Amino acid sequence: MRVHEGRYDGSGLRIGLVASRFNDAVVRRLVDGAVDCLRRHGVADDDIELAWTPGAFELPVVARRLAASGRVDAIVALGCVVRGETAHFEYVAAQSAEVGRVATDTGVPVAFGVLTTDTFEQAVDRAGGKAGNKGWDAALAAIETARLLADLK
Ligand code: INI
């Protein structure tokens, strides 16, 4: 049996981070977690680039431009959408998940590190609080998927 698996080895990988400024206090922690994960797994600082978007709604279009640039092997999309009293949440959250389409359309893996929570407190818990750091987790998924795709070539 031939099994393909992505190793957790980021050396030589070029990673793009796309992060939204909305709910900045949370998203900065996701970015910090993602960068920490990348460094710990051997990604060089010079091989990381970061683009800030206004909100999570804009993540897909910016991720698509980065993917098309040919400069990155994987992208980590980071954001925080907190459910309010309106349907706005549904639209913003659904649009942010369109980064998945960027990945399938371009072949550049995009890890989904966008928090979609009912409360701000839940988001803080997932951004380096008691529920871990989803930015860190997404960065690891980006490394693993980039390695897996390289292995499948
Ligand atoms: N953007 C977010 O990233 N998170 C949110 O919780 C949010 N809410 O609640 O409105 C949000 N809105 C802004 C949106 O992403 C766009 O930037 C804006 O609509 C302009 O296109």
Side-chain angles (χ1 to χ4, degrees), residues 33-55:
V35 170
D36 180 56
C37 175
L38 296 175
R39 286 180 177 149
R40 282 170 184 262
H41 290 87
V43 179
D45 271 17
D46 284 349
D47 288 335
I48 303 172
E49 61 181 295
L50 167 62
W52 286 102
T53 68

Side-chain angles (χ1 to χ4, degrees), residues 85-98:
E85 298 296 314
T86 73
H88 195 66
F89 168 91
E90 309 292 345
Y91 294 117
V92 175
Q95 174 63 12
S96 73
E98 289 291 312

Side-chain angles (χ1 to χ4, degrees), residues 18-20 26-27 30 55-57 59-60 76-82 92-99 110-117 126 134-135 138:
V18 184
S20 67
V26 168
V27 180
L30 296 176
F57 195 86
L59 289 172
V76 185
L78 302 166
C80 171
V81 193
V82 178
V92 175
Q95 174 63 12
S96 73
E98 289 291 312
V99 295
V110 184
F112 189 60
V114 179
L115 301 175
T116 56
T117 60
R126 293 163 173 73
K134 300 302 173 194

